[in-house]
């Protein structure tokens, strides 16, 4: 009864998910982070992959860390798409991703050693390569910025995308033609070496040595996986199969729509899936925005609801808020509906997946930021001038905590009244249905409000 009530409340007005069978007819879905990353996109991509034929990463690189916990085993993926654990999935690294070939091969080896079959993995020939000099430049540029540094992952993401935009990047397909590959390395290094030596006082990179190393160590392992991934994606779409596009990073790390310059160098927002995988928007039906029940951020940049008190420490300690790959302590704060409303607009979200609700379990009070106070004026939309985001003071709605362990809840009807009140208020504030709520890191620890 409560289940039905919840379903009516959450989906009654939108009317999208009344037939669960319909979910399986949706051609393409996108998973996108709605905050500053690490929302739990990977675990929901893994969950949804069950009903898909393909999971396609469309941007970013190994700055991502996507954690899956299945049958007590933990997998921390960087470049390999989250569908890899299923035998029926073709995991695809799309053209919009920047690929460090050494990292990809190491990740595939680690997974293979753990019994995960990576043979179906496809990598777009049009994806750009991250080379060691990109990582070196990333670290040098950060050091050069001093206290104004961005706090990048130092994985070479920005410099690799910069070379792509400058049209001196090296693509995965270049590996297949040795003379082209060598020429391109030489061409880009004639410019990059000037930066390394003259701007940063470093040694130049030898083009032949680098080309030899990459060809010797990476070509054989990568060759069987290099593919025309646009063709693969469209073959599946034309065959009526379902595809999941898996965003890395998040809406407010988007180079166009995020808190620039404290952003990554790609478009994680849902629209990025179109150029990043080679599909038109007409194929996309579901856009699932993943949001933590609170907020975290790694690296510098504005964060209106950031906490510096014991609640902030609680989120770090109970939520284990340390980077999946970099180990950095994440900044934490209350969930921010102002930002989430903006994320709905930017991504065309059809629904939300709220993660880590269990981390709030033992708090006396829980809060949602519903507006910002800007010099005494209350605003409910994200200010377009970033200086205002930097100085925004959050206006909160406060609720009683539920003080109950949620980690084994399976049915929405079993959620305590206080948790329902919190979720209802969040849904009302954000304006799209909450479809899923996770209450623990394992694949099975979630509640589905659409499965009535
Ligand atoms: P992603 O980058 O968006 O895929 O997220 P990360 O994997 O970087 O960070 C999410 C972290 O939260 C991982 O350690 C997950 O195992 C964990 N996690 C995901 N969902 C839940 C949840 O509902 N509850 C708890 N306690 N942990 C979760
Ligand atoms: P997933 O996919 C959280 C952040 C970095 C830094 C900024 C720029 O796991 O959610 P970059 O190395 O991309 O040039 O760094 O973006 N960042 C992330 N933060 N999760 C991520 O990925 C991130 N990828 C990049 O911390 O602030
Ligand atoms: Mg992550």
């Amino acid at each position: 009864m409560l289940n039905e009530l919840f379903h009516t409340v959450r989906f009654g007005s939108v009317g999208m998910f009344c037939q669960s069978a319909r979910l399986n007819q949706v051609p393409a879905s996108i998973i996108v982070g709605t905050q500053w990353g690490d929302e739990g996109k990977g675990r929901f991509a893994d969950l949804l992959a069950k009903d898909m034929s393909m999971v396609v990463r469309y941007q970013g690189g190994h700055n991502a860390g996507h954690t899956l916990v299945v049958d007590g085993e933990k997998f921390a993926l960087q470049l390999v798409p989250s569908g890899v654990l299923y035998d029926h999935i073709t995991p695809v690294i799309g053209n919009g991703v920047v690929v460090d070939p050494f990292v990809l091969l190491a990740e595939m080896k680690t997974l293979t050693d753990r019994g995960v079959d990576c043979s179906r993995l496809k990598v777009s020939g049009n994806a750009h390569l991250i080379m060691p000099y990109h990582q070196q430049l990333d670290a040098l540029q950060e050091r050069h910025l001093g206290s104004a540094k961005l706090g990048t992952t130092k994985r070479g993401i920005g410099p690799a995308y910069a070379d792509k935009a400058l049209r001196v990047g090296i693509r995965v397909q270049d590996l297949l033609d040795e003379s082209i590959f060598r020429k391109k390395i030489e061409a880009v290094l004639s410019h990059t070496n000037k930066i390394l030596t003259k701007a940063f006082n470093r040694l130049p990179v030898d083009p032949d040595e680098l080309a030899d190393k990459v060809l010797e160590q990476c070509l054989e392992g990568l060759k069987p996986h290099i593919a025309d991934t646009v063709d693969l994606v469209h073959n599946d779409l034309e065959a009526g199969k379902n595809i999941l596009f898996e965003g890395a990073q998040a809406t407010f790390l988007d180079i166009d729509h995020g808190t620039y310059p404290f952003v990554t160098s790609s478009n994680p927002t849902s629209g990025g899936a179109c150029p990043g995988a080679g599909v038109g928007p007409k194929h996309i039906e579901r856009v699932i925005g993943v949001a933590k029940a609170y907020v975290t951020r790694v690296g510098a940049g504005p964060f209106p609801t950031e906490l510096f008190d014991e609640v902030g420490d609680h989120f770090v300690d109970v939520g284990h808020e340390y980077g999946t790959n970099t180990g950095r302590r994440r900044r934490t704060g209350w969930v921010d509906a102002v930002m989430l409303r903006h994320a709905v607009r930017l991504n065309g979200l059809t629904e939300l997946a709220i993660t880590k609700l269990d981390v709030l379990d033992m708090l006396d009070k829980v809060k949602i930021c519903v507006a910002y106070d800007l010099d005494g004026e209350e605003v409910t939309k994200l200010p377009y001038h970033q200086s205002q985001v930097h100085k925004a003071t959050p206006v909160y709605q406060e609720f009683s905590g539920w003080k109950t362990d949620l980690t084994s809840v399976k049915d929405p009807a079993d959620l305590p009244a206080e948790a329902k009140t919190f979720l209802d208020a969040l849904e009302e504030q954000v304006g799209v249905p909450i479809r899923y709520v996770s209450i623990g890191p394992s694949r099975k620890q979630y509640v589905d409000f659409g499965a009535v």
Side-chain angles (χ1 to χ4, degrees):
M1 179 63 200
L2 257 177
N3 244 2
E4 273 171 37
L5 183 70
F6 246 67
H7 189 259
T8 316
V9 171
R10 294 192 185 284
F11 298 99
S13 56
V14 180
M16 285 190 61
F17 303 113
C18 297
Q19 304 290 326
S20 50
R22 176 158 156 56
L23 291 180
N24 297 329
Q25 292 159 15
V26 169
S29 306
I30 302 177
I31 287 228
V32 62
T34 57
Q35 295 159 331
W36 281 292
D38 304 324
E39 295 90 349
K41 300 172 292 295
R43 62 97 33 96
F44 272 107
D46 166 72
L47 186 78
L48 296 176
K50 189 165 51 73
D51 299 321
M52 307 284 164
S53 68
M54 214 176 246
V55 177
V56 186
R57 277 277 307 268
Y58 58 88
Q59 46 67 237
H62 67 299
N63 48 349
H66 297 168
T67 318
L68 322 179
V69 182
V70 181
D71 298 331
E73 260 201 271
K74 187 168 165 177
F75 299 88
L77 304 174
Q78 295 184 271
L79 273 164
V80 173
S82 296
V84 69
L85 300 187
Y86 295 96
D87 289 339
H88 70 280
I89 289 283
T90 306
V92 172
I93 296 181
N95 55 277
V97 176
V98 282
V99 179
D100 182 320
F102 299 98
V103 171
L104 178 58
L105 287 170
E107 186 174 346
M108 285 163 65
K109 179 167 183 328
T110 306
L111 286 167
T112 307
D113 289 349
R114 293 179 67 185
V116 178
D117 177 11
C118 292
S119 63
R120 287 160 286 109
L121 179 77
K122 302 293 176 202
V123 185
S124 168
N126 285 357
H128 279 245
L129 290 173
I130 295 185
M131 290 280 101
Y133 51 82
H134 291 130
Q135 313 222 12
Q136 200 185 352
L137 283 173
D138 198 349
L140 287 167
Q141 281 161 359
E142 280 284 271
R143 194 178 315 165
H144 183 72
L145 284 170
S147 62
K149 73 176 182 189
L150 309 178
T152 76
T153 58
K154 299 191 183 146
R155 301 286 153 91
I157 306 295
Y161 277 117
D163 276 0
K164 175 178 175 177
L166 280 171
R167 288 147 299 171
V168 294
I170 299 169
R171 293 190 293 176
V172 169
Q173 61 173 292
D174 296 329
L175 289 169
L176 301 174
D177 185 327
E178 184 176 337
S179 76
I180 294 261
F181 183 68
R182 288 186 184 278
K183 269 189 205 143
K184 288 197 172 184
I185 292 260
E186 204 167 312
V188 68
L189 283 177
S190 70
H191 163 79
T192 303
N193 273 337
K194 288 197 184 94
I195 300 174
L196 285 174
T197 55
K198 296 194 192 319
F200 292 117
N201 202 23
R202 290 296 183 282
L203 291 173
V205 177
D206 183 284
D208 287 330
E209 254 176 52
L210 178 59
D212 288 348
K213 183 175 167 195
V214 177
L215 290 168
E216 274 166 31
Q217 295 183 21
C218 303
L219 180 57
E220 196 186 322
L222 278 187
K223 203 170 176 177
H225 301 279
I226 303 175
D228 176 353
T229 56
V230 171
D231 189 47
L232 296 177
V233 164
H234 284 276
N235 289 344
D236 270 21
L237 287 173
E238 284 154 21
K241 296 181 181 170
N242 302 329
I243 296 187
L244 181 66
F245 296 100
E246 180 188 19
Q249 289 78 57
T251 301
F252 294 102
L253 289 173
D254 186 283
I255 190 160
D256 286 285
H257 299 289
T259 46
Y260 192 91
F262 306 104
V263 293
T264 192
S265 301
S266 65
N267 289 115
T269 44
S270 61
C274 294
V279 290
K282 76 169 184 177
H283 297 290
I284 315 295
E285 285 208 10
R286 291 180 81 187
V287 185
I288 303 129
V290 186
K292 268 180 196 165
Y294 49 102
V295 185
T296 62
R297 172 163 209 169
V298 221
F303 184 169
T305 63
E306 184 166 15
L307 294 170
F308 301 95
D309 58 8
E310 66 281 4
V311 178
D313 291 342
H314 172 98
F315 291 150
V316 174
D317 296 341
V318 180
H320 306 291
E321 294 298 351
Y322 296 91
T324 307
N325 291 312
T326 59
R328 289 183 291 173
R329 183 187 160 108
R330 297 173 180 147
R331 300 157 65 194
T332 57
W334 291 112
V335 70
D336 186 340
V338 179
M339 304 203 76
L340 291 179
R341 281 194 288 271
H342 198 60
V344 170
R345 286 181 148 188
L346 292 172
N347 295 294
L349 298 185
T350 58
E351 61 213 91
L352 280 174
I354 301 296
T355 58
K356 304 189 97 160
L357 188 66
D358 55 298
V359 174
L360 274 55
D361 278 357
M362 294 306 156
L363 294 174
D364 292 327
K365 298 276 175 208
V366 291
K367 294 185 188 181
I368 299 172
C369 167
V370 294
Y372 295 154
D373 182 314
L374 286 169
D375 300 324
E377 195 195 336
E378 212 167 284
V379 298
T380 53
K381 282 186 181 170
L382 190 71
Y384 93 91
H385 196 304
Q386 199 164 304
S387 305
Q388 298 197 307
V389 181
H390 282 261
K391 65 178 190 191
T393 307
V395 177
Y396 289 114
Q397 241 178 36
E398 193 176 277
F399 306 87
S400 296
W402 41 94
K403 309 280 264 179
T404 310
D405 179 354
L406 299 184
T407 53
S408 50
V409 173
K410 292 200 168 29
D411 190 325
D414 295 335
L415 284 170
E418 293 86 351
K420 287 175 192 162
T421 304
F422 176 76
L423 292 172
D424 281 343
L426 187 59
E427 185 176 71
E428 195 185 319
Q429 283 293 327
V430 180
V432 291
I434 294 175
R435 169 71 202 247
Y436 308 99
V437 175
S438 72
I439 33 75
S442 308
R443 190 185 261 175
K444 290 184 183 150
Q445 285 179 296
Y446 74 99
V447 173
D448 182 352
F449 289 99
V452 186

